[in-house]
Amino acid sequence: SYVLTQPPSVSVAPGQTARITCEGNNLGSKSVHWYQQKPGQAPVVVVYDNSDRPSGIPERFSGSNSGNTASLTISRVEAGDEADYYCQVWDSTTTVVFGGGTKLTVL
Amino acid sequence: QLQLQESGPGLVKPPETLSLTCIVSGGSISRSSYYWGWIRQPPGKALEWIGSIYYSGSTYYSPSLKSRVTISVDTSKNQFSLTLNSVTAADTAVYYCARQSPVDFSLAYWGQGALVTVSS
């Protein structure tokens, strides 16, 4: 089965840039989506298809995907960005796969 | 605006069957070429995809849950349902329903989630 690996936690000071990675075999050939989940709430997609942003998501959120690693970059981090972030792909054998999630802490 | 709402019992005894329904409003299941899926999240843990159903009725299940899961759609009521058989405490989780793109399989619309506890 296909596996996506994320770091358990990332910490960043307000105003700095946070980068959250997602690793998988030949991930660059797949379409990666990123979700933000705040405590007690349903996930919200912040980046889809590697680098597209849904309407209403700030330009501070961006994504990239190449080789075996996809990244979610959050520029000018704010306290309100503190949340869990999950990457997700569709794989032909396992269908929908989520990463283990990364807790973003704003110091 | 599309809205999804999960409904069903909050407590299920092992080894009975868990049943949840997702009521869709603001859009028609039968008139749109989307997948409709179920995802769960045990307390303090990561998201886990359970399965999805296409508007036409084709289903796709997680290999790890396939033997116990059935997802069905009722277009007349604009809703879809999840049944999970032979539940154990490990099935305790918040269960979400969501709409899934047929193009890139992203999940753009989610329900608020329903906590289901498995306990005798």
Side-chain angles (χ1 to χ4, degrees):
Chain A
S1 62
Y2 195 78
V3 176
L4 294 174
T5 302
Q6 298 181 235
S9 62
V10 168
S11 298
V12 64
Q16 299 303 304
T17 298
R19 181 170 175 261
I20 299 172
T21 59
C22 176
E23 295 186 349
N25 184 42
N26 199 25
L27 186 57
S29 67
K30 302 181 186 299
S31 179
V32 179
H33 320 299
W34 291 92
Y35 302 87
Q36 176 193 69
Q37 185 181 33
K38 296 182 178 179
Q41 299 183 18
V44 173
V45 59
V46 292
V47 167
Y48 67 97
D49 197 15
N50 299 320
S51 58
D52 290 336
R53 262 189 327 275
S55 60
I57 300 301
E59 291 183 5
R60 301 185 297 105
F61 289 81
S62 62
S64 64
N65 184 20
S66 179
N68 294 321
T69 304
S71 298
L72 172 70
T73 300
I74 310 172
S75 304
R76 302 181 300 282
V77 167
E78 303 172 356
D81 298 330
E82 189 162 283
D84 293 327
Y85 290 85
Y86 294 91
C87 57
Q88 177 248 314
V89 299
W90 180 87
D91 173 73
S92 59
T93 57
T94 321
T95 52
V96 177
V97 182
F98 287 100
T102 298
K103 180 176 180 60
L104 175 67
T105 299
V106 181
L107 301 171
Chain B
Q1 176 75 351
L2 188 76
Q3 292 186 328
L4 296 86
Q5 177 69 56
E6 303 87 355
S7 66
L11 180 64
V12 180
K13 292 183 171 63
E16 295 180 353
T17 296
L18 180 158
S19 296
L20 291 172
T21 296
C22 182
I23 300 168
V24 179
S25 58
S28 171
I29 286 181
S30 60
R31 295 179 187 173
S32 55
S33 301
Y34 287 99
Y35 289 90
W36 304 89
W38 288 96
I39 302 96
R40 70 180 183 178
Q41 185 172 37
K45 295 188 178 181
L47 300 169
E48 178 186 19
W49 175 71
I50 300 170
S52 301
I53 187 166
Y54 198 43
Y55 79 105
S56 62
S58 300
T59 52
Y60 303 85
Y61 298 129
S62 166
S64 64
L65 295 170
K66 187 174 183 177
S67 64
R68 298 194 291 131
V69 172
T70 302
I71 296 175
S72 59
V73 63
D74 186 338
T75 55
S76 67
K77 294 182 179 179
N78 215 39
Q79 64 188 38
F80 60 105
S81 299
L82 167 72
T83 59
L84 179 65
N85 301 323
S86 304
V87 298
T88 70
D91 295 310
T92 294
V94 174
Y95 286 75
Y96 295 100
C97 59
R99 192 183 82 172
Q100 188 169 19
S101 165
V103 176
D104 60 24
F105 300 96
S106 62
L107 298 147
Y109 292 91
W110 295 66
Q112 65 184 26
L115 174 62
V116 179
T117 301
V118 179
S119 174
S120 55

